[in-house]
């Protein structure tokens, strides 16, 4: 069992920056990837950024590429998402998630993730 606890987020004006963190109760060698997802009211949950734990390779949704940065601190079992140049359309609940190696499928599909945090709200005003 892996518990994920997000922190950070909040409210900011367009063009501003925010950072969210995700503390994992433990990292395990069986983790394939971790990701940040977001869900706005009335919309489906969508992938924002993914990091592959073995290689450190990162990947971003087109809508956030160049503005968001996903990173990890293995010593602290913590995943981060730095968000710059925020736009009102970035407003959503942000979730971190962990996918185990035994789960098939792409790391961009929310359905393949095994563990989820409770979410943290990010609100960007114009």
């Amino acid at each position: 069992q892996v518990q994920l606890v997000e922190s950070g987020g909040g409210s900011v004006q367009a063009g501003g920056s925010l950072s969210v963190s995700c503390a994992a109760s433990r990292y395990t060698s069986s983790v394939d990837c971790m990701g940040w997802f977001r869900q706005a009211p009335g919309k489906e949950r969508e992938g924002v950024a993914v990091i592959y734990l073995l290689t450190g390779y990162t990947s971003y949704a087109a809508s956030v590429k160049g503005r968001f940065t996903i990173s990890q601190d293995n010593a602290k079992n913590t995943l981060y998402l730095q968000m710059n140049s925020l736009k009102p359309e970035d407003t959503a609940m942000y979730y971190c998630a962990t996918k185990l190696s035994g789960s098939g499928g792409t790391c961009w599909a929310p359905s393949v993730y095994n563990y989820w945090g409770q979410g943290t709200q990010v609100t960007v005003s114009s």
Side-chain angles (χ1 to χ4, degrees):
Q1 187 78 8
V2 177
Q3 293 181 329
L4 303 174
V5 179
E6 295 103 337
S7 60
S11 298
V12 68
Q13 289 191 328
S17 297
L18 284 174
S19 178
V20 290
S21 302
C22 172
S25 58
R26 64 187 183 97
Y27 272 7
T28 164
S29 58
S30 63
V31 172
D32 184 10
C33 53
M34 294 189 71
W36 285 100
F37 294 80
R38 67 187 181 187
Q39 188 166 18
K43 294 188 176 181
E44 292 187 356
R45 190 168 296 189
E46 63 174 359
V48 175
V50 169
I51 185 165
Y52 298 82
L53 264 62
L54 184 61
T55 62
Y57 177 78
T58 58
S59 184
Y60 299 90
S63 59
V64 306
K65 195 170 185 179
R67 300 188 297 121
F68 290 13
T69 302
I70 186 172
S71 62
Q72 59 177 346
D73 184 334
N74 291 335
K76 296 181 179 179
N77 291 354
T78 302
L79 183 72
Y80 302 97
L81 184 69
Q82 176 65 40
M83 301 176 287
N84 299 328
S85 302
L86 282 161
K87 304 175 181 180
E89 51 263 43
D90 294 318
T91 296
M93 186 73 79
Y94 282 71
Y95 301 88
C96 65
T98 295
K99 174 184 176 296
L100 300 181
S101 300
S103 300
T106 171
C107 289
W108 281 99
S111 61
V112 307
Y113 279 76
N114 303 93
Y115 303 105
W116 290 85
Q118 81 287 354
T120 185
Q121 180 67 37
V122 171
T123 302
V124 185
S125 59
S126 57

